């Protein structure tokens, strides 16, 4: 038998669950003590999210005319508009890539995506950042719009829209963290309305 299945694995999964529903202190508590390599990686990412979630007071960060898309720090692979041309991409990642490009083309604003990657890449107005850089960015700047892609951790006072690219996003019942939920269709809107009746109807977009 693999001992990790009865020790590290459930601890790591529980830490992930707490992080995804925004209970970052509980996640760090679960992930304390002895950890395997996977657990250490999760702990470090949750620690960064915890720092990012300590939102600075309104009016302290410099307001900038930019759109920010923030993604959970962990993922299966790096992705961006350039990599999409040479390797397979999931539908959610492709949607974020296309939306970022369209938002830049429509508004002329810089669009920054903080996702799972090691280096920054500027692709003609759409800038891909390592997820770890979102902490420093949100401390110093308040974008025009913040789109939280598949997560509900409050990291800015900017108008924030939770993009629920899946049927449901963990933690989306905490609607005080965002100004609206971006759903994908009328069917999706009705599904979210049924699953999360505490979300005000005017926030379902």
């Amino acid at each position: 038998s693999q001992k990790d299945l009865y020790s590290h694995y459930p601890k790591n999964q529980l830490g992930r669950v707490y992080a995804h529903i925004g209970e970052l202190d509980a996640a760090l508590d679960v992930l304390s003590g002895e950890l395997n390599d996977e657990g250490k990686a999760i702990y470090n990412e949750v620690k960064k999210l915890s720092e990012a979630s300590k939102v600075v007071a309104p009016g302290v960060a410099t307001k900038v005319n930019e759109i920010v898309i923030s993604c959970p720090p962990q993922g299966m692979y790096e992705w961006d508009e350039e990599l999409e041309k040479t390797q397979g991409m999931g539908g959610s990642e492709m949607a974020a890539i296309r939306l970022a490009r369209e938002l830049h083309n429509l508004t002329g604003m810089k669009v920054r995506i903080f996702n799972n990657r090691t280096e920054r890449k500027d692709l003609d107005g759409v800038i891909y950042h390592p997820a770890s850089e979102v902490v420093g960015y949100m401390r110093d700047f308040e974008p025009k719009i913040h789109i939280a892609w598949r997560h509900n951790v409050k990291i800015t006072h900017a108008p924030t829209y939770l993009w629920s690219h899946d049927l449901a996003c963990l933690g989306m019942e905490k609607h005080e963290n965002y100004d609206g939920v971006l759903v994908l269709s009328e069917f999706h809107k009705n599904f979210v309305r049924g699953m999360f009746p505490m979300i005000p109807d005017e926030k379902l977009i």
Side-chain angles (χ1 to χ4, degrees), residues 20-83:
H20 277 288
I21 63 173
E23 301 289 345
L24 302 181
D25 289 340
L28 292 172
D29 188 51
V30 165
L31 294 167
S32 62
E34 186 182 345
L35 298 168
N36 63 3
D37 289 343
E38 181 189 29
K40 288 174 186 172
I42 297 168
Y43 179 88
N44 290 335
E45 295 298 347
V46 173
K47 190 79 173 166
K48 289 173 191 171
L49 271 177
S50 181
E51 292 170 8
S53 69
K54 293 173 174 58
V55 182
V56 296
V60 174
T62 302
K63 292 192 177 186
V64 289
N65 207 34
E66 298 181 345
I67 298 169
V68 166
I69 301 173
S70 65
C71 308
Q74 292 183 320
M76 300 293 287
Y77 49 82
E78 291 195 13
W79 51 271
D80 58 50
E81 189 176 328
E82 212 169 53
L83 290 171

Side-chain angles (χ1 to χ4, degrees), residues 172-175 178 192-193 195-201:
M172 65 194 300
E173 67 274 8
K174 296 184 176 182
H175 62 85
Y178 53 78
V192 172
R193 185 184 280 137
M195 287 290 290
F196 303 97
M198 72 290 295
I199 300 175
D201 210 50

Side-chain angles (χ1 to χ4, degrees), residues 11-28:
K11 179 191 274 196
N12 295 348
Q13 290 298 90
L14 185 57
R16 279 195 180 100
V17 169
Y18 276 129
H20 277 288
I21 63 173
E23 301 289 345
L24 302 181
D25 289 340
L28 292 172

Side-chain angles (χ1 to χ4, degrees), residues 76-77 79 89-98 149-150 165:
M76 300 293 287
Y77 49 82
W79 51 271
M89 291 278 158
S92 305
E93 289 80 7
M94 286 177 63
I97 289 166
R98 305 287 173 83
W149 185 76
R150 307 168 93 180
H165 193 75

Side-chain angles (χ1 to χ4, degrees), residues 166-168 185-197:
D166 308 288
L167 275 175
S185 64
E186 280 299 317
F187 166 83
H188 193 192
K189 182 177 183 178
N190 288 328
F191 178 87
V192 172
R193 185 184 280 137
M195 287 290 290
F196 303 97

